[in-house]
């Protein structure tokens, strides 16, 4: 009797375990299986409504005056319906939009393997101007490549002081055209270097960095499995996949226009810079101190500039950013616009590259669909390459107010002087005079400029120190003269002379 009761009890327990276990698996499964995305036009207008959609963590493709185009799962669409949004389904199975690539009709787009080969070949064919670096690995272990293009490189010093410019593609998996433009730029710079005066000058005078595929796993996944995939391919704790890389950067990282839910298309990750891609870009930016950057996306034919994390955020470089955006827009025919005015979203690459790293950072929304037809690709590339060349040309004469090389007047004078020595071959007499004047005790009564100058010298490598030696020698002579003439605090001046002496000795 007893054993029958126990048997029955165990039977019930077994039944419940199987039942709930299966339900749990089903629940997890519905998260991990890709729901077929739809393209939906939602009829809304005005900032608040657009922000509401962005704040729901939805994937916004295009914002027009009276409607917004979204990429939505059926579940998201039901949710919108219950909230009373009016809509029209434009494409039932968004993946089918890109079927031409699967069937082999789209020939213009490169696979990750092909990009890898192009990068390696460029380094082989143009060893004087190309240096390929693996700046990180993706979640699935693939290389994130960055090509450094710079001519007339005589050791790292000269290059390190050249204005650096960054170009990035494919933060979002399905935006294949965003790979083609940086690749086209790479090809333009390498192939025309020996033939075109203007290209040669840009390459010689700048440090250009090109990262055509920021998310290799994403590109492969979108091209071979699920064409409309947006995020990277991280496996999240709840078994859903992907973090939106353009919500994972660490300036005002949060959930405006981004989502806390791992399953959302705009999931911002567990913390700022949780992803290998954003970590790699951050490390590169901290090392190279970019003056300018462009992150390519698609679509909408826009040139966007920061800030993007909220409406009407005060920005000290607003004028400069909007002017540069407008200048570039002349080349690609796009509309220049503040990022947040498209929709506010926290954690994009521009806000961090500008807000923290001090780069004049732009996002180009290329073309008028996610993957433009083959026939459109060459023109999109040509027009946008021109816009990029323009920006490179500007990088030596403008900078963000918070660029790390320009945060004090002394730093600025040192950078200007080194730039003149390295790039303009000392044509700017004023650069030297200005620096020496700043260090002259007559103008530097509390010795602050001198302290800052020596701190800058300490940061330089030996070649840059050599370039600064003539300045140190002249300053030393002025100080010696002051000691003789008993001008200033003699003890302090002697200490300063000793500091200069120590640096000069180290150089020899
Ligand atoms: O949402 C994005 O990440 C970008 N658009 S896309 O359709 N390519 O996904 C735009 C980002 C612009 N930045 C902000 N609005 N903050
Ligand atoms: Zn994008």
């Amino acid at each position: 009797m007893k054993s029958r009761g126990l048997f029955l009890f165990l039977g019930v327990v077994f039944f419940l375990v199987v039942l709930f276990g299966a339900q749990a698996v089903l629940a997890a499964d519905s998260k991990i299986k890709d729901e077929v995305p739809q393209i939906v036009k939602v009829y809304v207008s005005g900032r608040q409504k657009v922000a509401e959609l962005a704040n729901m963590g939805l994937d916004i493709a295009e914002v027009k005056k009276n409607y917004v185009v979204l990429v939505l799962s059926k579940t998201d669409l039901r949710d919108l319906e219950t909230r009373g949004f009016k809509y029209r389904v434009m494409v039932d199975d968004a993946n089918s939009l890109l079927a031409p690539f699967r069937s082999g009709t789209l020939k213009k787009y490169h696979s990750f393997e092909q990009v890898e080969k192009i990068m390696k070949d460029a380094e082989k064919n143009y060893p004087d101007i190309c240096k390929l670096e693996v700046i990180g690995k993706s979640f699935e272990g693939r290389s994130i490549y960055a090509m450094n293009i710079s001519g007339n490189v005589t050791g790292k010093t000269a290059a390190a002081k050249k204005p650096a410019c960054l170009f990035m593609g494919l933060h979002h998996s399905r935006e294949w055209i965003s790979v083609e433009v940086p690749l086209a730029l790479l090809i333009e710079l390498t192939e025309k270097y020996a033939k075109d005066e203007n290209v040669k000058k840009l390459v010689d005078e700048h440090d250009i960095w090109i990262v055509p595929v920021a998310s290799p796993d994403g590109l492969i996944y979108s091209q071979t499995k699920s064409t409309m995939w947006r995020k990277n391919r991280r496996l999240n704790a709840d078994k859903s996949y992907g973090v939106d890389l353009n919500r994972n950067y660490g300036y005002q990282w949060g959930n405006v226009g981004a989502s806390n839910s791992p399953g959302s298309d705009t999931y911002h990750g567990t913390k700022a810079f949780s992803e290998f891609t954003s970590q790699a870009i951050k490390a590169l930016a901290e090392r190279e101190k970019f003056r300018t950057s462009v992150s390519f996306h698609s679509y909408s034919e826009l040139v966007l500039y920061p800030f993007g994390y909220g409406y009407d955020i005060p920005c000290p470089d607003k004028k400069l950013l909007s002017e540069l955006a407008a200048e570039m827009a002349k080349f690609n025919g796009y509309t220049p616009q503040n990022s947040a005015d498209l929709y506010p979203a926290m954690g994009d690459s521009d806000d961090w590259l500008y807000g923290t790293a001090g780069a004049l950072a732009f996002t180009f929304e290329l073309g008028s669909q996610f993957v433009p037809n083959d026939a459109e690709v060459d023109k999109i590339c040509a027009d946008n390459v021109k816009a990029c060349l323009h920006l490179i040309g500007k990088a030596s004469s403008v900078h963000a107010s918070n660029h790390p090389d320009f945060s004090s007047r002394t730093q600025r004078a040192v950078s200007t002087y080194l730039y003149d020595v390295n790039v303009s071959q000392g044509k700017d007499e004023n650069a030297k005079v200005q620096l020496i004047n700043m260090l002259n005790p007559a103008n530097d009564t509390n010795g602050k400029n001198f302290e800052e100058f020596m701190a800058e010298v300490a940061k330089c490598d030996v070649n840059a120190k050599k370039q600064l030696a003539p300045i140190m020698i002249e300053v030393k002579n002025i100080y010696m003269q002051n000691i003789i003439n008993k001008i200033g605090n003699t003890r302090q001046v002697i200490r300063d002379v000793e500091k200069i002496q120590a640096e000069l000795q180290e150089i020899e």
Side-chain angles (χ1 to χ4, degrees):
M1 208 40 207
K2 255 189 191 169
S3 70
R4 208 198 296 163
L6 184 67
F7 189 69
L8 209 76
F9 173 72
L10 285 177
V12 171
V13 168
F14 179 73
F15 176 73
L16 289 174
V17 165
V18 170
L19 184 75
F20 286 110
Q23 270 190 351
V25 168
L26 270 179
D29 211 11
S30 71
K31 258 183 215 142
I32 50 178
K33 109 176 173 322
D34 297 331
E35 270 190 79
V36 175
Q38 295 178 307
I39 308 231
V40 184
K41 227 181 211 185
V42 178
Y43 296 95
V44 290
S45 57
R47 278 183 163 193
Q48 287 324 315
K49 282 285 164 198
V50 175
E52 190 181 330
L53 293 173
N55 288 340
M56 285 167 71
L58 299 178
D59 183 355
I60 304 181
E62 199 179 356
V63 179
K64 291 283 187 202
K65 207 158 175 283
N66 297 315
Y67 65 86
V68 167
V69 176
L70 296 156
V71 182
L72 289 182
S73 69
K74 294 221 162 65
T75 321
D76 288 336
L77 189 57
R78 270 196 300 277
D79 192 21
L80 278 185
E81 204 167 3
T82 44
R83 287 171 189 243
F85 283 95
K86 297 271 166 291
Y87 66 88
R88 193 152 76 89
V89 176
M90 310 295 292
V91 184
D92 220 13
D93 174 3
N95 285 328
S96 68
L97 274 187
L98 305 184
F101 187 80
R102 289 269 185 85
S103 65
T105 32
L106 286 180
K107 303 257 186 291
K108 285 283 181 183
Y109 293 94
H110 291 92
S111 67
F112 179 64
E113 255 184 13
Q114 290 169 326
V115 175
E116 206 169 22
K117 183 166 176 343
I118 290 174
M119 306 274 279
K120 287 182 178 165
D121 286 352
E123 193 189 35
K124 234 182 275 154
N125 296 337
Y126 303 96
D128 295 343
I129 55 168
C130 285
K131 183 132 194 22
L132 188 58
E133 193 177 320
V134 174
I135 57 168
K137 293 276 174 182
S138 68
F139 187 78
E140 291 172 354
R142 298 185 176 91
S143 296
I144 302 169
Y145 291 103
M147 181 71 89
N148 180 203
I149 304 181
S150 191
N152 197 15
V153 184
T154 51
K156 192 61 197 164
T157 323
K161 288 296 169 191
K162 291 180 188 181
C165 307
L166 173 66
F167 297 92
M168 305 183 280
L170 211 96
H171 271 68
H172 288 143
S173 311
R174 64 189 172 212
E175 298 169 9
W176 309 347
I177 185 70
S178 75
V179 176
E180 300 309 316
V181 172
L183 270 189
L185 177 64
L186 184 144
I187 289 164
E188 170 90 3
L189 295 174
T190 48
E191 291 185 356
K192 296 229 176 114
Y193 180 71
K195 304 175 204 155
D196 181 318
E197 279 277 306
N198 184 41
V199 169
K200 182 173 179 348
K201 190 167 150 61
L202 292 178
V203 171
D204 282 346
E205 297 184 357
H206 301 86
D207 239 324
I208 301 162
W209 287 84
I210 300 180
V211 182
V213 184
S215 177
D217 305 346
L219 181 63
I220 291 174
Y221 190 72
S222 165
Q223 288 188 341
T224 60
K225 296 254 165 56
S226 175
T227 40
M228 284 308 277
W229 192 255
R230 168 181 170 95
K231 300 188 284 180
N232 74 356
R233 291 300 295 164
R234 161 180 295 279
L235 178 58
N236 296 317
D238 69 350
K239 295 210 164 61
S240 65
Y241 280 91
V243 167
D244 184 341
L245 289 171
N246 214 29
R247 300 291 182 275
N248 190 242
Y249 286 78
Y251 191 84
Q252 295 283 335
W253 178 84
N255 60 8
V256 165
S259 175
N260 296 330
S261 314
S264 160
D265 266 322
T266 55
Y267 176 47
H268 56 32
T270 50
K271 57 178 184 201
F273 295 115
S274 58
E275 302 310 293
F276 295 133
T277 290
S278 48
Q279 288 166 14
I281 299 297
K282 175 176 185 274
L284 185 68
E286 282 167 353
R287 193 185 79 195
E288 297 301 324
K289 302 194 178 104
F290 296 112
R291 296 270 186 100
T292 63
S293 71
V294 178
S295 182
F296 298 104
H297 285 255
S298 65
Y299 63 89
S300 286
E301 306 195 319
L302 299 169
V303 176
L304 300 174
Y305 56 89
F307 283 112
Y309 68 87
Y311 287 129
D312 303 320
I313 304 294
C315 172
D317 297 303
K318 187 177 171 172
K319 192 167 171 284
L320 177 58
L321 286 162
S322 61
E323 275 170 11
L324 287 172
E327 287 171 22
M328 289 189 284
K330 288 217 177 89
F331 291 94
N332 58 16
Y334 291 1
T335 306
Q337 191 182 337
N338 168 256
S339 277
D341 287 342
L342 180 62
Y343 46 81
M346 289 174 159
D348 74 11
S349 59
D350 288 356
D351 279 5
W352 185 83
L353 280 162
Y354 170 66
T356 304
L360 297 162
F362 301 90
T363 286
F364 286 14
E365 292 284 357
L366 303 164
S368 47
Q369 51 182 316
F370 285 117
V371 178
N373 297 323
D374 273 1
E376 298 173 68
V377 173
D378 286 345
K379 180 159 167 46
I380 293 177
C381 288
D383 293 350
N384 283 285
V385 162
K386 281 185 206 134
C388 295
L389 296 180
H390 178 76
L391 186 62
I392 300 171
K394 280 279 174 172
S396 51
S397 54
V398 295
H399 62 83
S401 53
N402 60 339
H403 187 279
D405 285 349
F406 297 91
S407 44
S408 78
R409 269 184 66 233
T410 321
Q411 276 177 318
R412 188 191 184 116
V414 171
S415 296
T416 311
Y417 172 76
L418 284 174
Y419 179 76
D420 180 53
V421 171
N422 282 309
V423 180
S424 315
Q425 280 87 40
K427 281 186 212 120
D428 181 6
E429 240 325 278
N430 210 23
K432 187 176 179 187
V433 173
Q434 243 186 0
L435 185 52
I436 291 169
N437 276 348
M438 281 178 79
L439 298 169
N440 190 326
N443 305 318
D444 184 30
T445 39
N446 56 10
K448 186 169 160 277
N449 296 351
F450 180 78
E451 289 301 321
E452 283 177 357
F453 173 72
M454 293 311 282
E456 280 309 292
V457 174
K459 278 191 242 161
C460 290
D461 66 9
V462 70
N463 284 323
K465 280 184 184 177
K466 273 188 191 154
Q467 289 163 349
L468 286 165
I471 305 281
M472 287 192 269
I473 292 166
E474 272 198 48
V475 171
K476 192 181 88 176
N477 291 341
I478 299 173
Y479 286 11
M480 300 280 266
Q481 216 44 56
N482 283 356
I483 297 172
I484 294 165
N485 298 332
K486 294 206 167 55
I487 298 173
N489 176 342
T490 307
R491 265 207 212 155
Q492 183 57 46
V493 180
I494 291 174
R495 253 179 263 148
D496 289 348
V497 168
E498 281 169 358
K499 277 187 206 159
I500 298 177
Q501 205 49 49
E503 279 296 351
L504 288 171
Q505 262 163 13
E506 202 190 298
I507 300 166
E508 285 154 17

